[in-house]
Amino acid sequence: MKKNLTSDIDLLTLDKQFCFSLYSASLAMTKTYKPLLEKIGLTYPQYLVMLVLWQKDDVLVKEIGELLFLDSGTLTPLLKRLEAAELIQRTRDAQDERQVRITLTRQGKELKKLAKNIPTQVMCASGQPADALLKLRSELSKIRDDLNNVN
């Protein structure tokens, strides 16, 4: 019985926590992106929104939220800042005025050119080969999806 208690206590060390490894890696990743994104005038969450829009322009706020796993309370202020920076335009949807549609402005479209080398710079900074990062991304996406299915 005492052996199980020791085993349980050993599991509660920081170095054995998968969640902490993931959390600290995320912090390191965001820290790596920060100076690169500052050069183009974006924060990391704004960059994620822009990635969505560069992939598919003219989308509903709801769609962006679903893709980024963000609620409208988090997304709305972020979108307002991007609109103030003249990178996006927010308009009511013609079919359903309760919905807000997001489109890139000319400046928002042009910003993509300035951002095009950022993923490569971050990959190089990681010191990992591309195939290892692709595999890890796939594994993390599966873990995220599995956890979201539990919650």
Side-chain angles (χ1 to χ4, degrees):
M1 186 77 168
K2 190 172 188 176
K3 186 176 182 183
N4 287 341
L5 182 61
T6 304
S7 177
D8 289 345
I9 291 171
D10 287 344
L11 291 176
L12 293 177
T13 60
L14 196 56
D15 64 325
K16 290 189 174 69
Q17 302 303 305
F18 171 75
C19 61
F20 181 69
S21 293
L22 192 56
Y23 170 75
S24 58
S26 178
L27 288 176
M29 182 65 71
T30 305
K31 185 178 177 182
T32 302
Y33 269 98
K34 190 174 187 263
L36 302 172
L37 294 174
E38 282 177 345
K39 290 177 185 176
I40 63 170
L42 294 176
T43 64
Y44 184 71
Q46 290 171 339
Y47 174 67
L48 296 178
V49 169
M50 295 302 290
L51 286 173
V52 169
L53 293 169
W54 289 329
Q55 186 174 340
K56 181 184 176 195
D57 195 3
D58 194 18
V59 295
L60 296 174
V61 170
K62 178 182 175 182
E63 294 174 76
I64 296 171
E66 288 170 356
L67 288 167
L68 296 179
F69 302 94
L70 295 174
D71 61 40
S72 63
T74 302
L75 201 48
T76 299
L78 208 159
L79 293 170
K80 285 182 177 180
R81 287 191 296 277
L82 288 171
E83 185 175 42
E86 300 180 351
L87 298 174
I88 65 163
Q89 184 175 11
R90 297 180 308 145
T91 55
R92 292 280 167 195
D93 185 59
Q95 282 74 40
D96 182 354
E97 293 214 356
R98 296 171 296 176
Q99 301 285 338
V100 176
R101 192 163 283 284
I102 306 298
T103 55
L104 288 167
T105 62
R106 184 181 50 76
Q107 296 96 311
K109 291 174 184 174
E110 289 175 2
L111 189 63
K112 184 177 182 180
K113 295 173 192 165
L114 297 175
K116 71 176 183 165
N117 292 323
I118 291 175
T120 303
Q121 291 174 297
V122 172
M123 187 180 77
C124 289
S126 78
Q128 302 299 306
D131 59 335
L133 292 175
L134 291 172
K135 182 179 179 200
L136 180 59
R137 182 189 67 198
S138 177
E139 292 169 356
L140 289 172
S141 294
K142 181 173 179 353
I143 291 169
R144 178 204 60 218
D145 293 343
D146 290 347
L147 290 171
N148 281 332
N149 288 331
V150 171
N151 298 321

